[in-house]
Amino acid sequence: MIPAETYLLLSAAVFCIGLFGILTRRNALVFLMSVELMLNAANINLVAFSLQHGNLTGQVFALFGMALAAAEVAIGIGIILVLYRNFTDVDVTKATTMRW
């Protein structure tokens, strides 16, 4: 059996990769994927703690997290499409105003 610390290290690595993507990239799609990595890192943590404590509560919360991530992607892709339609680019630094 793999110890829970291994999952926590994996989660920390995935979270750091997502945080690095958010802080360094300007592309809205990469930004959205980085947020997904961070949400998945939280899900890995929930499942790891669920495994360690021997109950299913963390796994249920992870399922809710996945549903939340799916809804976030749907809304995010809609925002990215509007961003591309109005600015002909998906660079988040170019959309500095809400009015065009």
Side-chain angles (χ1 to χ4, degrees), residues 37-74:
L37 281 177
M38 293 172 72
L39 285 173
N40 283 329
N43 286 338
I44 291 171
N45 265 345
L46 289 171
V47 172
F49 285 122
S50 171
L51 175 70
Q52 187 173 8
H53 292 290
N55 60 12
L56 296 177
T57 306
Q59 294 178 20
V60 170
F61 277 114
L63 283 175
F64 283 125
M66 283 190 259
L68 178 71
E72 179 253 336
V73 165

